[in-house]
């Protein structure tokens, strides 16, 4: 049984929970972080000295933090050979796109765009700064668009760990009030993700409680 610490409105927790849902794994989850607090207690800091969510423990195994490492653990332990290939070369291809999506999409979206639009009071928002951040983000999304013109998923024809790292960002990207560049293959990919039950359960959830 997986034990997970982290509020469900955290984008990193959402990536983890989406993977847990796709892999059909039983879990218990504790609401920790943001309005729930609890990340600065000695007990939690003993689990994760960074005081961040998510944290995962699988049975009697190591306590894990860092979403990318947690996802790779779950994929290696429970994923199929298409979700996380065993052979080093196809695995590295999936890993390359997963790492790329975490660094170039999630990190250029969450704080630079989402926080400025949703977690900043309207009278403190700077539309030019937001637009510039969206432009930076969309330079990376254009690379995803080129991939998705060629095949159904980010790293190839199969749903993989790389789609978790890219796709968990897209619900908020398409939901918030910004001007978006047209990217038809990305939009169609997102529409297909919204048909996946685990995506609906763990990613497409309200972020109202995060609003400034
Ligand atoms: N590099 C870490 C970042 C973790 C992180 O920043 N988590 C945020 C939520 S997405 C957090 O703990 N925020 C404080 C809170 O929720 O109280 C990872 O990828 O897991």
């Amino acid at each position: 049984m997986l034990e997970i610490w982290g509020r469900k409105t955290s984008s990193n927790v959402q990536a983890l929970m989406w993977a847990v849902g796709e892999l059909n794994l039983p879990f218990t989850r504790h609401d920790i972080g943001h309005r729930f607090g609890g990340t600065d207690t000695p007990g939690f800091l003993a689990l994760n000295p960074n005081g961040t969510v998510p944290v995962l423990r699988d049975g009697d195994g190591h306590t894990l933090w860092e979403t990318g490492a947690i996802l790779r653990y779950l994929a290696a332990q429970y994923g199929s050979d298409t979700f996380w290939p065993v052979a080093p070369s196809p695995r590295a291809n999936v890993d390359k796109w997963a790492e790329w999506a975490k660094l170039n999409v999630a990190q250029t979206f969450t704080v630079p765009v989402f926080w400025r639009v949703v977690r900043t009071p309207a009278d403190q928002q700077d539309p030019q700064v937001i637009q510039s951040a969206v432009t930076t983000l969309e330079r990376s999304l254009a690379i995803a668009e080129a991939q998705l013109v060629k095949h159904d998923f980010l790293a190839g024809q199969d749903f993989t760990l790389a789609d978790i790292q890219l796709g968990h960002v897209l619900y908020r990207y398409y939901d918030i009030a910004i001007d978006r560049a047209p990217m038809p293959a990305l939009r169609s990919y997102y529409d297909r993700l919204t048909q996946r039950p685990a995506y609906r359960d763990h990613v497409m959830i309200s972020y109202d409680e995060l609003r400034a």
Side-chain angles (χ1 to χ4, degrees):
M1 168 76 89
L2 301 178
E3 188 165 8
I4 294 162
W5 289 261
R7 59 187 166 89
K8 57 186 178 183
T9 53
S10 147
S11 58
N12 284 306
V13 173
Q14 292 185 353
L16 161 57
M17 293 308 303
W18 180 20
V20 166
E22 291 286 350
L23 298 172
N24 270 314
L25 304 174
F27 67 90
T28 55
R29 186 183 58 76
H30 309 285
D31 274 324
I32 294 277
H34 196 253
R35 73 183 172 92
F36 300 99
T39 52
D40 56 356
T41 63
F44 187 76
L45 291 170
L47 294 175
N48 180 3
N50 301 288
T52 55
V53 295
V55 172
L56 173 137
R57 188 161 55 209
D58 185 5
D60 295 330
H62 290 286
T63 301
L64 300 177
W65 35 266
E66 281 304 328
T67 308
I70 295 172
L71 289 174
R72 284 191 289 273
Y73 164 71
L74 292 177
Q77 183 76 326
Y78 301 110
S80 68
D81 193 47
T82 52
F83 185 73
W84 187 240
V86 172
S89 177
R91 174 177 293 194
N93 180 56
V94 172
D95 200 13
K96 172 184 73 178
W97 284 106
E99 191 76 0
W100 172 85
K102 168 99 180 166
L103 294 174
N104 292 279
V105 178
Q107 287 194 5
T108 61
F109 174 72
T110 301
V111 174
V113 177
F114 182 75
W115 281 38
R116 285 187 175 128
V117 173
V118 172
R119 300 185 67 168
T120 303
D123 62 357
Q124 291 169 32
Q125 292 183 11
D126 183 333
Q128 277 186 324
V129 170
I130 291 170
Q131 192 47 54
S132 163
V134 171
T135 301
T136 301
L137 167 70
E138 287 181 339
R139 267 188 223 117
S140 290
L141 290 179
I143 294 171
E145 168 78 7
Q147 281 292 99
L148 294 164
V149 164
K150 290 185 283 184
H151 35 64
D152 284 353
F153 295 101
L154 181 60
Q157 209 41 52
D158 295 308
F159 180 80
T160 71
L161 184 77
D163 297 295
I164 301 276
Q165 287 287 32
L166 172 65
H168 81 278
V169 175
L170 295 180
Y171 167 63
R172 289 177 176 183
Y173 168 71
Y174 279 113
D175 203 57
I176 60 174
I178 52 171
D179 290 331
R180 283 171 287 272
M183 292 192 222
L186 185 74
R187 177 69 212 203
S188 153
Y189 166 78
Y190 168 67
D191 288 341
R192 281 181 278 118
L193 293 183
T194 67
Q195 302 307 307
R196 302 181 80 91
Y199 191 82
R200 300 179 74 83
D201 287 349
H202 299 295
V203 180
M204 298 178 69
I205 57 179
S206 170
Y207 47 84
D208 273 349
E209 69 183 42
L210 302 178
R211 287 191 190 280

